[in-house]
Amino acid sequence: MDTIGRGIIAGFIATLTLSAILDPMATVARTADVLPPTFGWLLHFFVGSFVWGAAFASIHPLLRGPSWLRGIIFGAGAWLFVMVAVMPLTQAGLFGWSLGWGTPAVMLCVHLLYGVILGTVYGLLLPEEESEDDDVHHGDHLHPVAR
């Protein structure tokens, strides 16, 4: 399985897990009144699986630490993108402020949880020779203080 394929699988599993637990897309679609729920769900799974999953797979080698931590870092970046680029397009304003002050906080938690699931699943899908366990044992990429 190639890198992007692992990312898409990990993204789908992370999206499915969050959807089952939190139902975020339907809530946002209803609150912002921008998308029909069916289209919202399709968009949610497409972006979570293909866009974010493939993007994570592409930048995974550039990030440091175990995959779950790389996922958290990625999730924080995805949250920032959504707050600055997507929320204003949904008439929710920058950082979704028109939906209330809790919106950015809840969305941050959702994206960090997505990131940790994405990173963990992606790490489990890595072939043994590519796993970050090798990096930890050899310390090739670590800062001298971390060795």
Side-chain angles (χ1 to χ4, degrees):
M1 180 182 329
D2 70 343
T3 304
I4 301 298
R6 283 191 294 271
I8 291 170
I9 290 169
F12 178 78
I13 291 171
T15 302
L16 183 63
T17 302
L18 277 182
S19 298
I21 295 171
L22 302 172
D23 188 19
M25 194 62 222
T27 302
V28 170
R30 280 191 304 269
T31 304
D33 197 29
V34 252
L35 300 172
T38 304
F39 181 73
W41 277 107
L42 291 173
L43 182 64
H44 176 64
F45 273 92
F46 177 79
V47 171
S49 301
F50 292 96
V51 176
W52 291 136
F56 179 71
S58 297
I59 70 162
H60 184 269
L62 304 175
L63 300 172
R64 299 295 175 219
S67 282
W68 64 266
L69 180 58
R70 297 176 199 203
I72 289 175
I73 294 166
F74 182 82
W79 170 80
L80 186 60
F81 176 80
V82 168
M83 293 293 107
V84 173
V86 177
M87 280 297 194
L89 296 176
T90 67
Q91 301 169 350
L94 191 64
F95 284 89
W97 290 121
S98 68
L99 299 176
W101 66 269
T103 299
V106 169
M107 293 293 286
L108 177 60
C109 292
V110 168
H111 281 85
L112 294 178
L113 184 56
Y114 169 82
V116 90
I117 296 168
L118 174 71
T120 300
V121 171
Y122 186 84
L124 292 172
L125 294 173
L126 283 174
E128 192 65 35
E129 65 272 4
E130 290 182 40
S131 80
E132 61 267 3
D133 291 338
D134 292 335
D135 294 339
V136 171
H137 294 303
H138 294 100
D140 294 336
H141 70 281
L142 297 176
H143 187 276
V145 174
R147 287 186 189 168

